[in-house]
Amino acid sequence: MMKEKLVLAYSGGLDTSVSIPWIKDHYGYDVIAMCVDVGEGKDLEAVQSKAVQVGAIKSYNIDAKERFANEFIAPALKANALYEGKYPLASALSRPLISQLLVEVAASEGAVAVAHGCTGKGNDQVRFEVSIHALAPDVKVVAPVREWGFTRDDEIRYAHEHGVPIPVDLDNPFSIDANLWGRAIECGVLEDPWQAAPEAAFEWTVAAEAAPDEAETVVIGFEQGVPVSLDGQPLALAELVAQLNGICGKHGVGRIDHVENRLVGIKSREVYESPAARVLISAHQELEHLTLTREVLQYKMGLELEYSKLIYNGLWFSPLKAAFDAFIDSTQAHVTGEVRVKLYKGTAQVTGRQSAYSLYRHDLATYTTGDSFDHMAAVGFISLWGLPTTVHAALHADSEAAPKLEGLSVSVAELPVKEGTVV
Amino acid sequence: MMKEKLVLAYSGGLDTSVSIPWIKDHYGYDVIAMCVDVGEGKDLEAVQSKAVQVGAIKSYNIDAKERFANEFIAPALKANALYEGKYPLASALSRPLISQLLVEVAASEGAVAVAHGCTGKGNDQVRFEVSIHALAPDVKVVAPVREWGFTRDDEIRYAHEHGVPIPVDLDNPFSIDANLWGRAIECGVLEDPWQAAPEAAFEWTVAAEAAPDEAETVVIGFEQGVPVSLDGQPLALAELVAQLNGICGKHGVGRIDHVENRLVGIKSREVYESPAARVLISAHQELEHLTLTREVLQYKMGLELEYSKLIYNGLWFSPLKAAFDAFIDSTQAHVTGEVRVKLYKGTAQVTGRQSAYSLYRHDLATYTTGDSFDHMAAVGFISLWGLPTTVHAALHADSEAAPKLEGLSVSVAELPVKEGTVV
Amino acid sequence: MMKEKLVLAYSGGLDTSVSIPWIKDHYGYDVIAMCVDVGEGKDLEAVQSKAVQVGAIKSYNIDAKERFANEFIAPALKANALYEGKYPLASALSRPLISQLLVEVAASEGAVAVAHGCTGKGNDQVRFEVSIHALAPDVKVVAPVREWGFTRDDEIRYAHEHGVPIPVDLDNPFSIDANLWGRAIECGVLEDPWQAAPEAAFEWTVAAEAAPDEAETVVIGFEQGVPVSLDGQPLALAELVAQLNGICGKHGVGRIDHVENRLVGIKSREVYESPAARVLISAHQELEHLTLTREVLQYKMGLELEYSKLIYNGLWFSPLKAAFDAFIDSTQAHVTGEVRVKLYKGTAQVTGRQSAYSLYRHDLATYTTGDSFDHMAAVGFISLWGLPTTVHAALHADSEAAPKLEGLSVSVAELPVKEGTVV
Amino acid sequence: MMKEKLVLAYSGGLDTSVSIPWIKDHYGYDVIAMCVDVGEGKDLEAVQSKAVQVGAIKSYNIDAKERFANEFIAPALKANALYEGKYPLASALSRPLISQLLVEVAASEGAVAVAHGCTGKGNDQVRFEVSIHALAPDVKVVAPVREWGFTRDDEIRYAHEHGVPIPVDLDNPFSIDANLWGRAIECGVLEDPWQAAPEAAFEWTVAAEAAPDEAETVVIGFEQGVPVSLDGQPLALAELVAQLNGICGKHGVGRIDHVENRLVGIKSREVYESPAARVLISAHQELEHLTLTREVLQYKMGLELEYSKLIYNGLWFSPLKAAFDAFIDSTQAHVTGEVRVKLYKGTAQVTGRQSAYSLYRHDLATYTTGDSFDHMAAVGFISLWGLPTTVHAALHADSEAAPKLEGLSVSVAELPVKEGTVV
């Protein structure tokens, strides 16, 4: 009899490798492995082969970098998405994409189940499962690592028994996840939030001290909120992000150290390297400051907080996400122009921005000749702007003690100049 | 007959100096000058004397640094106040304080009017006038610079005619305002937002390239959200901010370049130096990430946006400000602990944070032995967390085309390993 | 020489009638009057003729009811727009439409200026002028009533001198503005917010006591958030609203009594009759409760507050309005279905709602047989949902006194039943 | 050996009665029953006795009406708390109180566990468990009804076997929860959201048709946001709410019909009777409209949405709730005055409001003599208020087609009056 099939998101690591025989044993499925290239920079051909070696009936190797950049990074960038003001959501963005691919491969293969390698205390399990069910409400989801209850020793023993090779870097003190939008580092000494992250944790960025002594300047071109060129050279987004990761990382730009609130209710200390994300978000914000009206910019900042939470919390494929994107896309129509960023020893400073759609008006802003602003308009404006406060103050004036120059050091001069402390 | 009196906020510059005779001429008031030390670092005794020389009947010199730090900076820091995500509100914080002092001196002196030296296109006129009327609804406000309609040449001629000395730095291309919380630079080449700010604009910070080659680490101690010590040494807030401006400025930390939306409806390009503000806000945020619950932290981020706008827009002395402060003070009860910040060539990186009230729980966060988190709780959590999305997806499943591996480069391996592009 | 032309929004009342000769006198324009039918129910042909009689060179009579319904009411209804939770924004919606028509007629006629009849203390002047300049930044706006400085007696004298007939209802104690979406009543005894509005103020609604003794039920059909049928009969929106105003008004439904905050900084007491708006917004909300996910519904409620303020404050033709509409339209895709409303003596109670896109799932909600909800999922959910609070509580447990049954009346029974007060 | 003790929140119904022997059997605890009077109006002495009869070792009867009113209803009323704009949170408010009492009785009795009678699909289990753990992180919580897995028949069989009497109203088609702030009705025909709620569902309110033919007017006095008098008679809040439930219910006021989003992810149809809550919230809002500044009122409306969600979602005893209360209490300092409400056949219409702290200023609002508003201030205000929009419009003017009078019915009159359709 034909066995039912399951598609497993496969990384090549110990957990997902052990999952292959374990799923066969415990669920009876034929396992199809799926390796996805979202820009981590790993050799996925070897990973692909390994899956078959440890028991997968088939192994997919999918280059999803362009889809990741265009359909996941671009919307997040237009939203300046930074969870809790700091985390550019790198892993959080790849989970819905991998979920989408699991569902697509499952549909292609006629599989009835999918699996991921997450534990029970992280955010990624939520992102996978909510995304998968949003796309395929009836598909079954298996989470072997959460279910099997193995200690690390149990797992190694099981691997030995089932011919799963033990990775040479098993003692790596850090747990890593990486894609085009950033690299997340957890565990080990990082679990003490008072300890500085050691250099060994970083791969994409040099220490600021090790960065070149010469600053480097890049000019990023945007069209409708999306980066389209680097120093004048048109580039597809995935390539632009990859190049920028290299350039900025070389200057030590993009390290993030964060104690963050997970959806599952705990705080965790996370360290990230996100060179391109860090710089592109800053540059994009600057261009928005130039091209969006005050009302749009300031409302959008509040919406961005919610957008970032929504992505972090796994609701990428949800109606609220679609509505947020509709709002944001409406605001990006004229976010077109160039931003100049100076990279130097860990800093990335925007030093200029320009746009054909700039709402900055020199004739209104200047304090010199050419000023076309009506200064007396301010008189009426202030009067009405402050009126609610003034009415309130007039009513409640009696209820507050008259102000005094209490507790201040005051000197008073008069003609002929003499001094004395008043209070 | 006794003339009525007016109190003028006096800086010693050309505009407020010319205002003294102009107010006497046009309004007939006796002018009392008021110089306030909010940490700009200028010689206010000379300024105080100058006021009398150019015609003030009296000249106050008030050291308000402590009041500024404790009553204006501290609340803003607890709110992580950054207008439009960038500007720490330095000038915006001093305006309500100076307004308060104008009202206090006016009350002491029996003056019926006060005056400020703002033009008609900035934010400061609004902050002064709304603050003054909130504290003294009946006091008259005079704004000579906005009213007189002088060109620069007119003004110089008027100064000559009335014995007002012309400052030697009249040709300074920049317009400056400074206090403990930062230094604002406008005008000149800065009016082109594509032009990088020249080194000549900066006084408090060196260029990153000119900063020391050795990093420096500072540990900032907080109690209930307010900085109380530097490297273990207890300091009053005003002194702590002043010292930190020095330390951080020396490392090139604290430059901000912003195209901002003024309350009066225009965009302007502003450059700031806020070394202490930059570092203290980052450090304070980190300590909050450690000690606030997720719900408090995430809601407070939205409230902070509004708080910053309110201060920027001049509503310091308003009931909404009081309500915001009540909220914020409630959240700061346990924001007590230390934050370590590394300063190096323009960067200020938080490398550690600790608190007796830390809500980070190693036993819940760790992936190694000692893990006390219930992994299977996640199963139920995910099921209910994703339920609204799943119900929506189940209902609308038919309305969307089945997903396909479209537009992707896919390779498939099987045993024996063979490859083929599927889609 | 050909005179320049101005287009005046003309109501036929004394103010706009006097404006015609006044504009000619003071500005020298030829005046083109424009009467717009937005569903007030007035005889606009007579108004149109009157304009010419008092000096307009031309008089337009434009039936804009359909455009008003489809392009102004519909978006507001999809946003459940109620300023400060109470006012359906009737006048606030017609102002941008009339502004748009002024600009269109001015373009057709080659006019260089437009005029409105607002005073200087209301919201409508802001709505007109901001809308007009958003559509035609260069057109000149004249506001005769704000500019002329007439007392009522001056105005009547001027009317007599210029052959402007004095309306017979000049002594009407109320100031009225009406359109399809509602009727606003101001002035007279309403200026005392403690006084109940007298029956004489109302025209569209009977007093609840005078309403029929029989309840009436209507079923409103929606498609994508817009009403399309009444009791099963398909109707264009303008017609549906008009009919519903009649039906609901007859039952005394739709009176609103509000002390509201004007954009110009004052509070005013406003009374409205909005029978259709009141019922359609309630019905629309109910259908949203049935068809939107929790996340969309709850976020949208906050956005609606801002949307309502934006419209009230005159920013209809602004990029933020466009972005809001993009968000809202995205949410309305499945707001399709029927809502049953019972009208009786001033009440409008929704008694049922149904939709092919209902997200209410009987199998999940029921407490009886057929329950498909996994009850044990809640255990894990609660554990993680409450975790941040629990961690906080565990840390701070010592800091709070142990709770006691203080100040309560308590009796305790034991076997054999005996009683005693414990605390 | 002494058994460990558990305190059970006991209602006297079948579920909590069966829980007593079941807990003894399955957990081995001695059960202490706790009946709490939060104003449901039931005979709690009989309930108290029944607990002992079915096996509790002790039975508490606690009158918590005053604590409920002062510490739970009052804060919610000051926040105008209505979940999803409709539900006054009656049950949601009593759950944290009962949790608090469970913890207090457990502390008094030295009990190690507490229990509630909720199923696994409602909100109340979350509210109980999160509240209990916030107050006593180490206490064990038992949820027999969620755990036992009985069908209704199983439960009746178990009751017979353990001497638990079967209530006579077991066939009541509705599930009810009630307290001073409202009565919730679920189940039965209400599970079809298209079906109108039958009269049999209601106990506290008559049908509008059955209400008196005479309207009744009540005047509610507030101090600092809390009701303190009814028609001039000072009353404690619990008593005031109770009386108002009677008065308003008699007029058919307070029925709510809602499809709401539960925290556990499903939609449910709920019917409520909340006569006093409905009227007090409306009255309180009106007094706020009179006494709060625009800025406070409009910001508070957004905060209220979050406050209501937080209570609904069980986070009463959490730091965010405390911070919200600090904000709200700050705003209530002057919410003191009287509101007049007219009750008639299901309607409750506010007809007047007054306050010594009213910010409504007749001299600013009036259109007649005595107007002290500066009309020309509006000119400057409008100019700056609309400036961002105007700048945007001027820049993008070319990108939009010139507007035309398209699709409109237009007639044009000229002298001598002639007509023609223009477009």
Side-chain angles (χ1 to χ4, degrees), chain A residues 77 180-181 204-205 216-220 222 227 229-231 235 237-251 253 274-281 283 341 343:
Chain A
L77 174 58
L180 277 177
W181 205 231
W204 289 15
T205 55
E216 181 169 0
T217 290
V218 292
V219 174
I220 301 157
F222 288 85
S229 69
L230 201 56
D231 291 329
L235 287 173
L237 182 57
E239 181 57 26
L240 188 152
V241 171
Q243 289 194 17
L244 208 51
N245 274 328
I247 297 168
C248 300
K250 193 183 65 183
H251 287 282
V253 166
S274 286
R278 158 81 181 75
V279 168
L280 289 174
I281 291 172
V341 185
L343 307 167

Side-chain angles (χ1 to χ4, degrees), chain D residues 92-171:
Chain D
L93 287 169
S94 73
R95 290 342 183 202
L97 167 59
I98 296 172
S99 300
Q100 189 185 54
L101 293 171
L102 283 171
V103 169
E104 295 185 21
V105 172
S108 285
E109 294 282 351
V112 299
V114 299
H116 62 74
C118 305
T119 70
K121 70 194 294 180
N123 300 298
D124 285 336
Q125 56 174 343
V126 189
R127 295 166 187 156
F128 273 122
E129 296 179 27
V130 175
S131 295
I132 290 163
H133 283 131
L135 296 171
D138 297 325
V139 83
K140 184 172 165 56
V141 181
V142 173
V145 180
R146 190 173 64 202
E147 297 171 19
W148 65 37
F150 286 165
T151 62
R152 182 41 62 117
D153 286 343
D154 294 339
E155 187 179 357
I156 291 171
R157 193 175 320 114
Y158 190 92
H160 281 307
E161 290 166 10
H162 292 78
V164 175
I166 309 299
V168 291
D169 64 346
L170 192 65
D171 291 332

